[in-house]
Amino acid sequence: MFQEGFLWGGAVTAHQSEGAYTACGKSPAVCDLFPKPEHSDFKDGIDSFHRYDEDFALFEEMGFTSYRFSIDWSRVCPDGEHFSEEAMQFYDDFIDSMIKHGMEPMCSLYHFEMPQVLMKKYNGFYSRKVVDLFVKFADKMIDRYGDRVKKWISFNEQNSIGLIGSKKVAYGAVCPTGCDEQLFINQLVHNTFVAHAKVVEKVHTIKDAIVLGMVIYIPHYAATCNPLDELEARNQMAVTDMYFEMFTYGEYSSYMLAKMKNENKMPEMEPGDLELLKNNTCDWLSLSYYFSTVASYGKLSMDMNGNAKAAVNPYLKASEWGWQIDPLSLRIGLRDIYARYRLPVMVVENGFGMRDQLVNGTVEDDDRINYMKDHIEQISLAIDEGVDCRGYLMWGPIDILSSQGEMSKRYGTIYVNREDKDLKDMKRYKKKSFYWYKKVIETNGKDIAND
């Protein structure tokens, strides 16, 4: 059963929703390198830059109490170093409107919106110079909005930095010629741990403010009962576990530290780094969750390039994009995380992408409703089993472009009338799931039936 004050709402990014590509002097960001040419780009988004008040009114109608957003670094700090007062005023107004419509703001400081100039000039977070510039940006945002924003995430899905095969360009970095790739990754991981710790240090100077350490959580089942498959599953989960260890205890996990030392791939650390990490731990843990995968000895379970692909589990069905639907694994994961770390945990991203058809001003999206219903039910069961889970945010409560710039992969309870190449009028329409999620929130999760 969900406790009183359980947070219900949704999450988006600035770059997938705002549009207004050059407003306030905004510069190109590294996320602009993601979209596939057959889809769209992020220049128009769903025009939430101009329509956020209208959208927040719809979220208020659904009953949202929490809303996760990102601040576009490339808008408020186009050259990576100097700030745009016009852009910061935009976020003042944006946050004020959110609060007016009954939602508590949750801010992600980094969601792949680094100005490209910092990639070209310094190789992104591979450089400690960019760590310093990010901290300068973060400090400015926390000072500016900390009187109203009390929940902060430093890096979206921070463990994706360490996952083999994931796009390091998301962090403005490419492996230098002649550099060992794993050593490069280890350095990038360390630098972003330092940046994260400095964000924690700053947030904790703000009254009542907390930091949520965030991962993308992809549980790995052993493909068979062969102990080697179980070992592979644990080894591949070790990166995610390392982040939970750092968020909770301020230390590298013993396994990953030993692995880096044994492979002679320790990152360069500056004096005081380890003390900084130790002294600045998170208040809550948080995760995005979409699917699970299976591990077979000697094989990678995930392909993280572009649209993530998981090894096939014959016991599960999958979405059109190959993401396997596994609500039970979310419950198992929440139990494991809470048993190990005993910090409040929150699901800050979860949803179902599908192709929607607008008919007579609405969308019959039962598959989306059933996906969310099944996941919310498993969260409720995890809470009944002792997990201190504080909230659920659906991904993309209003249709936004996917990470690959694809408008046809929709997640929202609100339909936005645009396609990849045709912007149309971007009018908003309530889907069937809008009314279902409204009922769920009104009853605090007691009534999740798809009537």
Side-chain angles (χ1 to χ4, degrees), residues 6-9 346-347 350 372 376 379 391-394 437:
F6 188 86
L7 296 170
W8 296 98
M346 183 169 175
V347 179
N350 172 251
M372 292 175 63
I376 291 170
I379 294 169
Y392 174 86
L393 304 182
M394 68 170 296
Y437 197 31

Side-chain angles (χ1 to χ4, degrees), residues 42-57:
F42 296 130
K43 292 183 178 178
D44 299 290
I46 59 166
D47 195 31
S48 66
F49 187 90
H50 298 106
R51 305 184 191 212
Y52 62 83
D53 200 63
E54 170 192 352
D55 295 339
F56 290 165

Side-chain angles (χ1 to χ4, degrees), residues 37 42 65 72 93 109 138 158 193 201 204 208 215 233 245 252 277 298 304 308 312 335 359 365 430 436 445 448 450:
F42 296 130
T65 56
D72 191 335
D93 298 340
L109 286 163
Q158 192 170 350
F193 273 151
E201 186 174 45
H204 284 164
D208 299 327
V215 302
E245 294 268 339
Y252 280 94
L277 300 178
M304 294 299 293
V312 174
R335 282 174 47 179
V359 178
D365 55 342
K430 300 171 188 176
W436 172 81
I448 62 172
N450 180 13

Side-chain angles (χ1 to χ4, degrees), residues 182-303:
Q182 188 59 57
L183 183 59
F184 160 72
I185 291 171
N186 293 350
Q187 190 65 58
L188 198 60
V189 165
H190 181 73
N191 289 357
T192 48
F193 273 151
V194 169
H196 163 79
K198 290 186 175 182
V199 167
V200 175
E201 186 174 45
K202 179 65 176 180
V203 169
H204 284 164
T205 68
I206 304 296
K207 187 177 186 297
D208 299 327
I210 66 169
V211 177
L212 297 83
M214 186 192 172
V215 302
I216 179 171
Y217 195 69
I218 307 172
H220 286 53
Y221 298 113
T224 71
C225 55
N226 184 336
L228 288 173
D229 287 349
E230 176 62 25
L231 178 64
E232 189 67 48
R234 294 191 183 204
N235 287 347
Q236 292 193 33
M237 284 296 291
V239 170
T240 298
D241 294 340
M242 173 180 65
Y243 279 82
F244 282 136
E245 294 268 339
M246 186 62 75
F247 295 153
T248 306
Y249 306 118
E251 298 175 346
Y252 280 94
S253 65
S254 56
Y255 171 80
M256 291 300 290
L257 191 61
K259 186 174 187 292
M260 291 189 294
K261 288 179 177 177
N262 293 339
E263 294 175 350
N264 196 29
K265 293 178 182 178
M266 285 291 292
E268 291 183 9
M269 300 184 186
E270 293 186 1
D273 280 0
L274 294 179
E275 183 180 7
L276 174 77
L277 300 178
K278 183 67 175 174
N279 291 337
N280 293 284
T281 55
C282 294
D283 306 283
W284 293 10
L285 303 176
S286 64
L287 60 137
S288 63
Y289 177 79
Y290 293 95
F291 54 84
S292 60
T293 187
V294 294
S296 302
Y297 183 66
K299 297 179 182 178
L300 275 179
S301 303
M302 289 295 307
D303 178 359

Side-chain angles (χ1 to χ4, degrees), residues 58-73:
L58 288 166
F59 300 154
E60 182 180 23
E61 184 180 344
M62 271 192 286
F64 280 21
T65 56
S66 181
Y67 188 72
R68 177 177 163 235
F69 68 102
S70 67
I71 294 175
D72 191 335
W73 188 4

Side-chain angles (χ1 to χ4, degrees), residues 295-335:
S296 302
Y297 183 66
K299 297 179 182 178
L300 275 179
S301 303
M302 289 295 307
D303 178 359
M304 294 299 293
N305 288 310
N307 183 52
K309 294 182 178 65
V312 174
N313 186 332
Y315 296 97
L316 299 174
K317 295 180 180 179
S319 74
E320 179 181 339
W321 287 265
W323 290 14
Q324 294 167 111
I325 302 167
D326 187 8
L328 180 57
S329 195
L330 175 57
R331 173 180 163 196
I332 295 169
L334 289 171
R335 282 174 47 179

Side-chain angles (χ1 to χ4, degrees), residues 97-250:
S97 175
M98 193 185 309
I99 293 169
K100 180 187 73 175
H101 288 290
M103 290 171 282
E104 180 185 4
M106 178 184 295
C107 180
S108 301
L109 286 163
Y110 190 74
H111 207 135
F112 317 137
E113 289 143 356
M114 175 193 297
Q116 282 187 27
V117 65
L118 299 184
M119 181 178 187
K120 295 171 183 175
K121 191 172 182 180
Y122 300 112
N123 201 15
F125 280 109
Y126 188 64
S127 165
R128 289 290 287 247
K129 174 66 174 176
V130 172
V131 169
D132 292 341
L133 290 171
F134 172 72
V135 171
K136 177 183 175 183
F137 154 73
D139 285 357
K140 188 87 166 179
M141 299 303 101
I142 295 162
D143 279 337
R144 179 88 174 213
Y145 309 117
D147 61 328
R148 289 155 287 167
V149 179
K150 300 301 181 181
K151 291 182 172 63
W152 298 86
I153 291 172
S154 58
F155 289 88
N156 172 73
E157 298 179 341
Q158 192 170 350
N159 63 322
S160 65
I161 303 169
L163 297 178
I164 296 294
S166 63
K167 282 187 173 182
K168 306 307 183 262
V169 70
Y171 307 93
V174 294
C175 187
T177 303
C179 179
D180 177 86
E181 184 178 10
Q182 188 59 57
L183 183 59
F184 160 72
I185 291 171
N186 293 350
Q187 190 65 58
L188 198 60
V189 165
H190 181 73
N191 289 357
T192 48
F193 273 151
V194 169
H196 163 79
K198 290 186 175 182
V199 167
V200 175
E201 186 174 45
K202 179 65 176 180
V203 169
H204 284 164
T205 68
I206 304 296
K207 187 177 186 297
D208 299 327
I210 66 169
V211 177
L212 297 83
M214 186 192 172
V215 302
I216 179 171
Y217 195 69
I218 307 172
H220 286 53
Y221 298 113
T224 71
C225 55
N226 184 336
L228 288 173
D229 287 349
E230 176 62 25
L231 178 64
E232 189 67 48
R234 294 191 183 204
N235 287 347
Q236 292 193 33
M237 284 296 291
V239 170
T240 298
D241 294 340
M242 173 180 65
Y243 279 82
F244 282 136
E245 294 268 339
M246 186 62 75
F247 295 153
T248 306
Y249 306 118

